[in-house]
C-alpha cells in the first residue's frame, strides 16, 4: 500500500538578480547556504537521511553532480546517496516528486529534496569554428604545422556564444521562451495592459510579504566569502505600476509584442530545499509535518505553447482526485511570464479549449486571483530555473499554513513543452 508522505520543513536562499558578471554564489554554494541552517534546526543528524536529490539545469564544470557535492559539504556523510535531476524549469519539483515516490513506495523514509541555480554563472561558449581551430592547433605536429594552423585563426572564431541565451531557446521550434509566451498571449487575446497590470501586482504582493514578515523562516540569510550578506529577494520593485511598465519596449517581438523585461521573470540565482518524511520517520524523530503530498502529475505539449503546461498538468491531477479548480484554496503557478500566466487562466475559462483540448464538458472556470500567487512570484522574485519548482512547493506549504487553507496546487510550465503539478494538503 502507498504510504503517506509529509513535508516537514524547508528553506531557501534569497533570490539574487543576475547583474554584471557571475554572482557571489555557485549552484552548490547556494544549496549549502540554505541547507546548513535547515539541517541545523532539525532534531536528527544530517546523516539520518536516506538520499539527497537536487534539481539543477546549468551545472558548472567544477560541480559535477551538485547534489553529491552539496551533500558532502553539508556533512551528510560519505555514504549518502545523492543525485541530480534535470527537467528544465521543473527540476526543483522533480526532486520532490522523485523523493515522494521513493518514500510512498517504501524505499526510503527521509529525503532532502531541493533545487539550485546560478544563472549568473551560465557560461560563454566558443563557436564550433573556434573549437575546430583550437583542435587543429593542438594536434598539429611540428613548428611549421603549428604556425600554419595558427595563421588560420579568424576573429569570428573567438566570438563567444551566450550559453544562457541558447539554453532558453527551444531546439525544436527555435523559439525562445519569451516568444512562446507571445504565442500563448496571441491565442487567448491577452493584452499588454493586462500583462503589465499583473506584473505590477506581483511586485506589490512580494513587497507586502517582505514588509509583513511572511517570508521569515523560509528565506535564510546567505553570506558570501567576502563578508557580504544577502537577506531578501533583491529583484522586487515596489514602485512598479502598470503605467511605468507600459513604457518598456517589447523584447522578443518588436514592435507589437506583449512580453517585456518588466512583465517577465527575472534572471536570478537561488536555491531551495524541502525535507520529506514517511509517517515512520515522523514518529521516530518526533517531527511536526507541515503538509502532505497527495498526488503529482506531469504533462507534455507542443513546445511552441509550453506556457500552457500548468493547464495540461494540473487538470488531470484535479480530475484524478475528483476536484475542481474552485476546490483549490491556494495556488502557486510559476510566473515565467505575465502573459503566460494570464493565458493559462484564460484557457481554463475557455469553453472551446476545455472541450476540445482538455476533454471537459465545458469551461473549467476561473481561479480567484486572491488565491493565486498570494505573495508574488517569479516576475518579482526571479526564476532560477532549477530551483523554482521547489520554491513554489515550499512557499505553497507555508502560505497554506499562514492562511489556514486545506488544499493547494503548485504548478509550472517547463521549457521544451512540459508541465508539472503537485497537490498538497494541510495536516
Amino acid at each position: 500500500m502507498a504510504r503517506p508522505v509529509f513535508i516537514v520543513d524547508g528553506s531557501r536562499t534569497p533570490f539574487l538578480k543576475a547583474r554584471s558578471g557571475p554572482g557571489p554564489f555557485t549552484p552548490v554554494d547556494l544549496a549549502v547556504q540554505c541547507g546548513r541552517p535547515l539541517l541545523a534546526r532539525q532534531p536528527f543528524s544530517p546523516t539520518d537521511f536516506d538520499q539527497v536529490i537536487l534539481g539543477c539545469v546549468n551545472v558548472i564544470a567544477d560541480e559535477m553532480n551538485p547534489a553529491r557535492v552539496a551533500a558532502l559539504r553539508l556533512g551528510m556523510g560519505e555514504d549518502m546517496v545523492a543525485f541530480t535531476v534535470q527537467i528544465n524549469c521543473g527540476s526543483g519539483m522533480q526532486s520532490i516528486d522523485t523523493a515522494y515516490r521513493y518514500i510512498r513506495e517504501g524505499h526510503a523514509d527521509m529525503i532532502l529534496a531541493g533545487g539550485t541555480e546560478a544563472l549568473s554563472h551560465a557560461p560563454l561558449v566558443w563557436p564550433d569554428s573556434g573549437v575546430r581551430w583550437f583542435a587543429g592547433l593542438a594536434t598539429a605536429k611540428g613548428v611549421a604545422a603549428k604556425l600554419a594552423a595558427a595563421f588560420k585563426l579568424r576573429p569570428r572564431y573567438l566570438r563567444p556564444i551566450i550559453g544562457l541565451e541558447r539554453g532558453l531557446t527551444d531546439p525544436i521550434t527555435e523559439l525562445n521562451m519569451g516568444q512562446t509566451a507571445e504565442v500563448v498571449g496571441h491565442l487567448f487575446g491577452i493584452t499588454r495592459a493586462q500583462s503589465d497590470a499583473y506584473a505590477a501586482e506581483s511586485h506589490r504582493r512580494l513587497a507586502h510579504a517582505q514588509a509583513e514578515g511572511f517570508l521569515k523562516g523560509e528565506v535564510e540569510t546567505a553570506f558570501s566569502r567576502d563578508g557580504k550578506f544577502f537577506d531578501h529577494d533583491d529583484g522586487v520593485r515596489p514602485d512598479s505600476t502598470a503605467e511605468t511598465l507600459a513604457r518598456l519596449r517589447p523584447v522578443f517581438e518588436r514592435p507589437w509584442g506583449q512580453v517585456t523585461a518588466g512583465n517577465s521573470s527575472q534572471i536570478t540565482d537561488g536555491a531551495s530545499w524541502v525535507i520529506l518524511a514517511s509517517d515512520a520517520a515522523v514518529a521516530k524523530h518526533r517531527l511536526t509535518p507541515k503538509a502532505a503530498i497527495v498526488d503529482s502529475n506531469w504533462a507534455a505539449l507542443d513546445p511552441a505553447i509550453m506556457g500552457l503546461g500548468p493547464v495540461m498538468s494540473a487538470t488531470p491531477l484535479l480530475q484524478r482526485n475528483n476536484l475542481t479548480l474552485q476546490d483549490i484554496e491556494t495556488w502557486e503557478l510559476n510566473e515565467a511570464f505575465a502573459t503566460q500566466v494570464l493565458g493559462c487562466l484564460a484557457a481554463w475559462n475557455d469553453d472551446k479549449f476545455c472541450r476540445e483540448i482538455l476533454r471537459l464538458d465545458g469551461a473549467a472556470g476561473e481561479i480567484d486571483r486572491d488565491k493565486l500567487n498570494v505573495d508574488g512570484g517569479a516576475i518579482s522574485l526571479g526564476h532560477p530555473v532549477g530551483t523554482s519548482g521547489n520554491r513554489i512547493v515550499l512557499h505553497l506549504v507555508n502560505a497554506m499554513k499562514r492562511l489556514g487553507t486545506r488544499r493547494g496546487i503548485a504548478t509550472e510550465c517547463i521549457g521544451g513543452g512540459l508541465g508539472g503539478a503537485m497537490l498538497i494538503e494541510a495536516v
Side-chain angles (χ1 to χ4, degrees):
M1 293 179 62
R3 303 192 301 170
V5 181
F6 301 101
I7 295 175
V8 298
D9 203 354
S11 68
R12 69 175 177 89
T13 67
F15 280 14
L16 306 177
K17 187 175 180 179
R19 291 182 168 87
S20 56
F25 305 105
T26 68
V28 169
D29 288 340
L30 290 162
V32 171
Q33 286 288 329
C34 58
R36 279 182 177 148
L38 173 64
L39 297 184
R41 65 177 178 244
Q42 304 308 317
F44 51 80
S45 168
T47 60
D48 287 334
F49 285 93
D50 297 301
Q51 287 182 345
V52 175
I53 309 173
L54 184 65
C56 186
V57 179
N58 288 276
V59 176
I60 66 174
D62 293 334
E63 298 177 350
M64 290 293 105
N65 190 11
R68 174 64 172 168
V69 182
L72 290 171
R73 285 181 57 184
L74 287 169
M76 303 182 75
E78 293 179 356
D79 58 349
M80 181 63 62
V81 175
F83 60 93
T84 304
V85 294
Q86 203 271 63
I87 182 174
N88 284 344
C89 316
S91 302
M93 184 181 287
Q94 179 67 69
S95 72
I96 298 174
D97 188 57
T98 304
Y100 158 64
R101 294 172 190 274
Y102 272 120
I103 295 172
R104 185 187 66 179
E105 303 304 322
H107 301 301
D109 281 303
M110 200 158 58
I111 297 177
L112 181 64
T116 190
E117 201 75 67
L119 291 178
S120 69
H121 286 255
L124 295 177
V125 183
W126 267 22
D128 287 344
S129 57
V131 174
R132 285 192 293 269
W133 171 81
F134 186 81
L137 179 65
T139 56
K141 304 295 184 183
V143 175
K146 285 191 177 293
L147 285 173
F151 279 116
K152 293 180 182 179
L153 175 64
R154 300 292 181 269
R156 66 178 182 275
Y157 295 172
L158 304 179
R159 185 179 301 139
I161 297 169
I162 300 174
L164 182 60
E165 184 177 302
R166 295 309 303 157
L168 295 177
T169 300
D170 183 78
I172 304 301
T173 64
E174 281 297 318
L175 297 176
N176 62 49
M177 297 300 99
Q179 289 172 314
T180 68
E182 293 281 13
V183 173
V184 169
H186 176 73
L187 288 174
F188 292 97
I190 307 302
T191 67
R192 170 69 185 274
Q194 289 173 317
S195 295
D196 288 342
Y198 182 93
E201 180 65 12
S202 179
H203 284 281
R204 189 198 68 77
R205 291 186 180 194
L206 175 57
H208 179 257
Q210 290 177 333
E212 294 296 321
F214 294 161
L215 303 181
K216 184 175 290 187
E218 177 177 319
V219 177
E220 301 288 350
T221 301
F223 299 88
S224 63
R225 288 182 173 86
D226 61 1
K228 295 179 181 178
F229 70 91
F230 307 85
D231 61 0
H232 66 283
D233 306 305
D234 67 0
V236 63
R237 298 186 297 273
D239 58 346
S240 290
T241 66
E243 291 72 27
T244 58
L245 292 175
R247 299 171 191 160
L248 299 177
R249 297 176 61 190
V251 174
F252 304 103
E253 294 293 335
R254 294 177 178 171
W256 310 115
Q258 312 300 320
V259 182
T260 70
N263 58 39
S264 304
S265 57
Q266 302 174 35
I267 305 298
T268 310
D269 299 350
S272 173
W273 292 106
V274 295
I275 296 173
L276 280 70
S278 67
D279 50 359
V282 166
K284 178 181 178 180
H285 299 292
R286 298 181 180 180
L287 306 175
T288 303
K290 290 187 173 184
I293 300 176
V294 178
D295 200 358
S296 63
N297 190 68
W298 302 87
L301 67 163
D302 183 347
I305 51 172
M306 69 92 199
L308 295 177
V311 179
M312 304 305 295
S313 58
T315 303
L317 184 67
L318 291 166
Q319 292 176 302
R320 192 159 63 226
N321 291 276
N322 298 311
L323 298 169
T324 67
L325 291 178
Q326 293 71 37
D327 291 324
I328 305 303
E329 300 157 287
T330 313
W331 289 83
E332 283 289 321
L333 196 162
N334 191 46
E335 296 174 352
F337 303 92
T339 303
Q340 166 262 325
V341 174
L342 295 173
C344 288
L345 301 185
W348 268 313
N349 204 33
D350 186 277
D351 187 79
K352 183 178 180 181
F353 180 89
C354 288
R355 288 180 184 275
E356 295 183 1
I357 306 301
L358 300 180
R359 300 290 186 254
L360 301 178
D361 294 332
E366 297 185 8
I367 294 178
D368 186 340
R369 291 283 292 277
D370 289 336
K371 300 178 179 180
L372 174 69
N373 299 339
V374 294
D375 297 318
I379 290 170
S380 51
L381 278 159
H383 178 21
V385 179
T387 307
S388 291
N390 200 275
R391 183 203 71 82
I392 62 174
V393 173
L394 171 62
H395 188 68
L396 175 66
V397 169
N398 290 337
M400 288 172 60
K401 187 174 181 63
R402 184 181 88 234
L403 298 171
T405 55
R406 181 186 174 197
R407 293 193 190 97
I409 283 181
T411 185
E412 59 190 332
C413 63
I414 299 171
L418 297 166
M422 189 164 283
L423 176 61
I424 304 294
E425 197 165 275
V427 293

